[in-house]
Amino acid sequence: MILFDGQLLPDERLGSVMKGLADYCIQTITSGEISVSEVIESCGTLSDCIRDGRYDEVLHIGKEQGRITKRQMEEAVRMLDRKNLEYKYKTELEGFINCRKDSELSGVQKECIPLGILVHIAAGNAEGLPFYSVVEGLLTGNINILKLPSTDDRVSLFMLQELVKMNPRLARYIIVLNISSANRNDMTALSKMADGIVVWGGDHAIRAVRKMADPGTRIISWGHKISFAYAAPDSLTDELERLAHHICATNQLLCSSCQGIFVDTDNMADVKEMGLRFLDILEKVGSNYPALSLKIKGKIGLELYNEELENVDSGRTIFRGKGVSVTVADDQILEVSHMFRNCWVKPLPRAKIIKALKPYRGYLQTAGLLCYEKDRAYLEGLLIKAGVVRITKAGGMSGMTPGEAHDGEYALQRYCRIVEIEK
């Protein structure tokens, strides 16, 4: 489906919408602007409706299928609260906004303004992410054209439609198109009219967008990142249980999801012991979560079987449990796991953290730190120097907080530009 000018249209209307889209956006930019206060108020009203159960029937499917937990839903709703959005706006843009005060010293007035037209190419690995990406674009006053991911379950489309109902003035700033990435003509047309393209995806997606876009178009990439846990060999059981809950709740599909555990040791006996210990914990915790589909179970089973055949002499050992597995390896390679409650455990003594992780600096995101309190500050420092941009405790790796950065950068700043006017 398509959301255009506040109306829900069938996909068959894509051609006619695309034909007049550029002129429609120019007219919107020419005729006026939206204020951050009305965006925050509309999102706040939507948050109230979600909290009051108005959309339970729509959102229930994601909960039932295990794509989103109750805690994740509560965090998402909280992120739309009026106070939290105000805090986000102030945190991310206060420095930009305050630069207007320089005019008395320099004789130059500085204005923080929207880029103009943002095209959001969203990923489908996180429930509601396309919706939230558009909200960030709205907070900065941009026109937002969202290309739905192929795996979208229409939750984002539904919530954006409801947001327009809260404030019909937002209709001209929210456009949702169901375009295939293989549709080169329409994708190129979108890229040509965009002042900025927001890409949620891996290196392949980012490279494809760069080829389509004009050289002067700002590419705002939130690429795929890899997150991990760093643990003491004798980590507390309750911390490992919290980590297991995190893995099962996210199915390791998010950039902030734990793919594996680096253990602060160079002793493989300690690594194997941690692997077996965590396998038992992961299996027990996993029994409390919805079972995976037969399709996913079959896919993971084949992957693990192939790995066992291919790695007979590799030093990698796969320990299997009911619906879970832990792969113990003696290397220090940061890699994506098989996901869906299957992780790896590897040795990484603290003295080698920077050397081992620095080559992955462009892909590092969250590190869940399980250690003694006396070691925390020192280990945090090493992880930060290696390139990690977010450090949490065991269970908080995918937790959301108001005003948080995306991969070490503030989104709202990237969606704006500074204009200088001599007075």
Side-chain angles (χ1 to χ4, degrees):
M1 297 295 287
I2 295 168
L3 181 62
F4 179 71
D5 202 27
Q7 302 297 313
L8 205 57
L9 306 174
D11 290 336
E12 291 73 21
R13 294 283 303 276
L14 178 62
S16 60
V17 169
M18 287 297 300
K19 186 176 180 180
L21 185 56
D23 288 340
Y24 180 87
C25 291
I26 294 299
Q27 184 182 15
T28 301
I29 293 172
T30 303
S31 61
E33 58 186 36
I34 53 172
S35 67
V36 64
S37 59
E38 62 184 312
V39 173
I40 290 175
E41 180 58 33
S42 301
C43 290
T45 302
L46 186 64
S47 175
D48 293 339
C49 291
I50 297 173
R51 190 179 290 107
D52 292 343
R54 179 170 168 179
Y55 307 123
D56 279 359
E57 185 175 348
V58 175
L59 301 176
H60 176 70
I61 298 174
K63 294 180 185 178
E64 190 177 57
Q65 296 180 354
R67 295 197 306 269
I68 186 167
T69 65
K70 180 181 178 182
R71 177 183 173 184
Q72 289 169 333
M73 177 61 71
E74 290 171 348
E75 288 179 342
V77 173
R78 190 166 62 248
M79 295 289 280
L80 294 175
D81 278 348
R82 295 169 182 83
K83 288 184 178 180
N84 287 335
L85 285 180
E86 288 171 357
Y87 176 78
K88 175 183 177 66
Y89 185 81
K90 181 179 179 181
T91 300
E92 299 194 26
L93 286 183
E94 188 173 52
F96 276 23
I97 295 169
N98 286 344
C99 74
R100 299 176 184 178
K101 300 177 182 179
D102 293 347
S103 57
E104 294 181 4
L105 297 175
S106 64
V108 175
Q109 178 179 316
K110 300 179 181 180
E111 296 287 343
C112 173
I113 68 171
L115 282 182
I117 302 172
L118 284 183
V119 171
H120 302 256
I121 301 178
N125 64 322
E127 197 84 14
L129 176 60
F131 167 77
Y132 192 70
S133 185
V134 170
V135 168
E136 290 183 318
L138 289 171
L139 285 171
T140 44
N142 289 285
I143 295 172
N144 299 271
I145 304 173
L146 170 64
K147 176 204 169 301
L148 286 172
S150 58
T151 56
D152 185 74
D153 58 6
R154 300 298 185 266
V155 169
S156 289
L157 174 61
F158 174 82
M159 299 310 292
L160 288 170
Q161 186 182 16
E162 290 300 302
L163 193 61
V164 168
K165 290 179 183 178
M166 305 294 173
N167 182 355
R169 270 177 42 82
L170 298 180
R172 295 191 68 94
Y173 296 84
I174 301 174
I175 300 162
V176 182
L177 304 175
N178 188 19
I179 299 178
S180 167
S181 297
N183 185 339
R184 300 288 297 178
N185 290 336
D186 286 343
M187 289 299 298
T188 300
L190 284 180
S191 300
K192 295 294 184 184
M193 73 177 70
D195 295 293
I197 304 177
V198 183
V199 191
W200 299 83
D203 293 346
H204 177 75
I206 295 169
R207 280 194 293 267
V209 168
R210 291 190 189 281
K211 288 181 180 179
M212 289 188 295
D214 287 336
T217 302
R218 185 180 297 184
I219 308 298
I220 304 154
S221 60
W222 306 112
H224 284 327
K225 305 294 180 180
I226 303 179
S227 299
F228 60 91
Y230 189 79
D234 55 350
S235 294
L236 297 176
T237 298
D238 61 348
E239 286 193 312
L240 291 172
E241 287 176 347
R242 283 192 285 270
L243 181 63
H245 275 289
H246 154 77
I247 287 174
C248 294
T250 66
N251 278 325
Q252 299 161 279
L253 294 172
L254 309 179
C255 290
S256 56
S257 295
C258 177
Q259 300 300 316
I261 305 171
F262 282 121
V263 185
D264 186 8
T265 183
D266 56 6
N267 187 331
M268 281 306 297
D270 290 338
V271 177
K272 182 177 179 181
E273 183 180 346
M274 171 65 81
L276 290 169
R277 183 182 171 203
F278 191 64
L279 177 72
D280 183 56
I281 292 172
L282 189 59
E283 185 174 27
K284 289 178 180 177
V285 169
S287 65
N288 298 311
Y289 287 80
L292 300 172
S293 69
L294 290 177
K295 180 179 178 180
I296 291 176
K297 287 181 179 178
K299 176 178 178 292
I300 299 301
L302 283 174
E303 289 178 356
L304 292 174
Y305 177 69
N306 287 335
E307 184 175 345
E308 286 173 327
L309 292 178
E310 294 171 0
N311 296 295
V312 174
D313 301 317
S314 68
R316 297 170 73 93
T317 304
I318 299 175
F319 298 111
R320 296 178 183 245
K322 187 176 181 180
V324 302
S325 76
V326 172
T327 299
V328 172
D330 58 4
D331 61 73
Q332 296 170 344
I333 297 172
L334 180 66
E335 59 185 325
V336 177
S337 69
H338 293 287
M339 300 184 287
F340 297 102
R341 308 169 198 178
N342 301 273
C343 73
W344 45 258
V345 178
K346 303 182 178 186
L348 181 56
R350 61 184 65 185
K352 297 181 180 179
I353 285 178
I354 296 177
K355 182 178 180 180
L357 296 181
K358 195 67 172 173
Y360 304 101
R361 58 193 175 276
Y363 298 94
L364 296 174
Q365 200 212 61
T366 302
L369 188 53
L370 295 73
C371 66
Y372 294 111
E373 196 59 38
K374 64 181 179 62
D375 294 330
R376 181 166 291 275
Y378 178 69
L379 292 173
E380 286 173 349
L382 291 177
L383 291 168
I384 290 170
K385 289 177 182 178
V388 171
V389 298
R390 188 165 173 264
I391 300 173
T392 70
K393 295 183 179 179
M397 292 182 63
S398 292
M400 296 183 292
T401 57
E404 68 180 5
H406 294 338
D407 303 335
E409 296 185 80
Y410 283 141
L412 302 192
Q413 291 183 6
R414 300 182 75 183
Y415 300 165
C416 294
R417 58 192 174 99
I418 301 298
V419 174
E420 298 181 333
I421 307 169
E422 186 177 9
K423 295 294 184 180

